[in-house]
C-alpha cells in the first residue's frame, strides 16, 4: 500500500528549490475555523480532511514549512484507511475527505506543500534536522479507496498551471503533479489512468507533453505498455517535435516482440 520511494531528478530539483524558499513570506490563511500555532505554523480546523490526517499522523503546515509526518509512512496509510473504513459515515466520509482536500488545495502554496515531501522529525533530534519522506499526495495515492478520486483531482488541477510563467518559488507544478503518479505499487484502474494520460497529452503544451511522455514507463503498469506504445507510434507520425521524448519512452517500455518491429 506504500508508494515506492524513488524520486526522479526533476522531483529532486523541485524539492531543492522548495527548501531554498524556507524563509519566504508565509501565505495567507483561508478556510473555516482555521487557526495557526505561532511556533509551529500548524493548520488546525474542524474539516474531516484536516482532522483525519492529524489523527492518522500528518500535520499540515502553513507557508513554506513541509507537512509533518509523525509516523512511519505505512503506519500512516494504514491508520487513515482504517479511520475512513470504520467511520460512522462511511462511505460518504470518503467524499467529505476529498471535498475538504479540494478546498484546501485551492491555495497554490498549500497545494505545492502537499506535492512536496513531508518532513519527519526523529525523536531526540534537533528541530532543525528533518528526514524527508513521500509527499502527502503520494501517500494518499497509495491508499486504494482514495487513489481514484485523488487521481481525478490531480488531472483536473494540471490545466490550471499549464501556461503559468515561472513562479516566485521556481517550482514547475505540472511536472511536480506528474511525478506523483510515478512508481506506485498498485494502480486501481490502470486503463482509466492510461486514458487520462493520453487525453492530457493531446491538450498539453509541448514542454508538458514531453514531461508526460518520458515519464510513461514509470507511471503505467507493464500491462498497459503495448497499448501506450501504439498511441505513441501514432503520435510520432503526427508531431515531429515529440520525436526525442517518444523514442526515449519507447526504449523503456516492455513490449511484445511483434510490436517492437512495428515501432
Amino acid at each position: 500500500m506504500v508508494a515506492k520511494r524513488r524520486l526522479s531528478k526533476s522531483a529532486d530539483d523541485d524539492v531543492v528549490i522548495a527548501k531554498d524558499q524556507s524563509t519566504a513570506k508565509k501565505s495567507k490563511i483561508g478556510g473555516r475555523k482555521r487557526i495557526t500555532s505561532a511556533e509551529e505554523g500548524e493548520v488546525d480546523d474542524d474539516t474531516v480532511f484536516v482532522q483525519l490526517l492529524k489523527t492518522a499522523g500528518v500535520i499540515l503546515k502553513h507557508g513554506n514549512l513541509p507537512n509533518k509526518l509523525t509516523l512511519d509512512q505505512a503506519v500512516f496509510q494504514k491508520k487513515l484507511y482504517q479511520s475512513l473504513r470504520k467511520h460512522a459515515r462511511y462511505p460518504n466520509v470518503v467524499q467529505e475527505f476529498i471535498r475538504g482536500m479540494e478546498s484546501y488545495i485551492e491555495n497554490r502554496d498549500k497545494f505545492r506543500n502537499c506535492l512536496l515531501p513531508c518532513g519527519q522529525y526523529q525523536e531526540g533530534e534537533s528541530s532543525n534536522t528533518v528526514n524527508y519522506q513521500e509527499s502527502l499526495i503520494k501517500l494518499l495515492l497509495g491508499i486504494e479507496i482514495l487513489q481514484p478520486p485523488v487521481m481525478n483531482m490531480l488531472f483536473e488541477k494540471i490545466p490550471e498551471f499549464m501556461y503559468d510563467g515561472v513562479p516566485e518559488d521556481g517550482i514547475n507544478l505540472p511536472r511536480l503533479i506528474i511525478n506523483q503518479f510515478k512508481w506506485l505499487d498498485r494502480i486501481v484502474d490502470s486503463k482509466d489512468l492510461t486514458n487520462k494520460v493520453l487525453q492530457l497529452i493531446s491538450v498539453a503544451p509541448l514542454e508538458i507533453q514531453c514531461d508526460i511522455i518520458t515519464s510513461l514507463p514509470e507511471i503505467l503498469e507493464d500491462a498497459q505498455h503495448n497499448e501506450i506504445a501504439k498511441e505513441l507510434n501514432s503520435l510520432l507520425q503526427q508531431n515531429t517535435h515529440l520525436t526525442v521524448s517518444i523514442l526515449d519512452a519507447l526504449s523503456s517500455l516492455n513490449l511484445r516482440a511483434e510490436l517492437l518491429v512495428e515501432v
Side-chain angles (χ1 to χ4, degrees):
M1 189 161 60
V2 184
K4 296 179 181 176
R5 301 179 182 180
R6 178 171 178 177
L7 294 175
S8 66
K9 185 178 184 300
S10 59
D12 290 336
D13 292 342
D14 285 338
V15 170
V16 171
I17 292 172
K19 291 178 184 176
D20 291 340
Q21 298 295 325
S22 60
T23 58
K25 185 178 180 180
K26 293 184 180 180
S27 60
K28 293 183 179 180
I29 304 169
R32 60 193 179 98
K33 298 184 181 179
R34 187 164 288 135
I35 57 177
T36 309
S37 165
E39 294 184 358
E40 298 295 335
E42 295 178 3
V43 175
D44 190 13
D45 64 30
D46 61 352
T47 62
V48 168
F49 173 66
V50 172
Q51 292 304 316
L52 287 186
L53 285 180
K54 190 172 183 178
T55 300
V58 165
I59 299 173
L60 298 173
K61 296 281 191 170
H62 287 296
N64 292 286
L65 296 172
N67 293 324
K68 183 178 179 180
L69 181 65
T70 63
L71 300 170
D72 179 79
Q73 295 180 143
V75 175
F76 161 74
Q77 288 175 313
K78 183 177 180 180
K79 288 189 69 175
L80 182 56
Y81 173 80
Q82 291 177 339
S83 295
L84 290 167
R85 286 300 305 266
K86 295 179 180 180
H87 199 281
R89 294 195 301 278
Y90 182 82
N92 293 336
V93 69
V94 175
Q95 294 306 314
E96 291 181 47
F97 183 91
I98 294 299
R99 285 196 298 270
M101 182 177 177
E102 288 174 340
S103 177
Y104 184 80
I105 65 175
E106 285 178 1
N107 178 283
R108 185 191 183 279
D109 289 341
K110 293 171 183 173
F111 184 38
R112 175 205 61 206
N113 285 359
C114 291
L115 294 167
L116 290 170
C118 292
Q120 189 173 49
Y121 297 83
Q122 298 296 324
E123 186 175 353
E125 291 186 350
S126 165
S127 60
N128 294 323
T129 303
V130 183
N131 294 325
Y132 287 94
Q133 306 295 322
E134 297 286 11
S135 71
L136 173 60
I137 296 288
K138 192 70 170 282
L139 291 172
L140 297 182
L141 286 171
I143 302 174
E144 292 184 10
I145 59 176
L146 292 177
Q147 187 184 99
V150 172
M151 278 190 174
N152 289 337
M153 188 188 310
L154 293 177
F155 277 108
E156 291 173 359
K157 293 290 288 186
I158 291 177
E160 293 182 24
F161 309 102
M162 273 186 180
Y163 298 97
D164 283 1
V166 179
E168 290 184 5
D169 56 18
I171 294 177
N172 184 318
L173 280 186
R175 177 180 297 158
L176 201 55
I177 295 171
I178 294 165
N179 285 337
Q180 308 303 307
F181 300 121
K182 295 181 179 179
W183 307 111
L184 295 175
D185 278 343
R186 181 176 184 272
I187 298 173
V188 175
D189 191 339
S190 57
K191 289 186 177 180
D192 183 62
L193 175 60
T194 302
N195 290 334
K196 282 184 167 58
V197 167
L198 289 173
Q199 291 172 10
L200 185 59
I201 292 174
S202 69
V203 299
L206 181 62
E207 181 182 1
I208 297 176
Q209 283 181 316
C210 292
D211 282 339
I212 298 170
I213 291 171
T214 54
S215 300
L216 288 174
E218 300 164 319
I219 294 175
L220 301 179
E221 293 180 327
D222 287 358
Q224 305 303 124
H225 283 194
N226 290 310
E227 178 184 349
I228 201 67
K230 294 177 182 178
E231 296 293 341
L232 290 178
N233 191 40
S234 176
L235 188 58
L236 183 62
Q237 313 305 319
Q238 303 169 23
N239 192 339
T240 56
H241 296 292
L242 298 172
T243 299
V244 174
S245 298
I246 291 175
L247 292 179
D248 182 45
L250 288 173
S251 67
S252 300
L253 295 174
N254 294 319
L255 306 177
R256 297 194 305 265
E258 61 270 24
L259 191 56
L260 281 171
V261 176
E262 294 181 29
V263 300

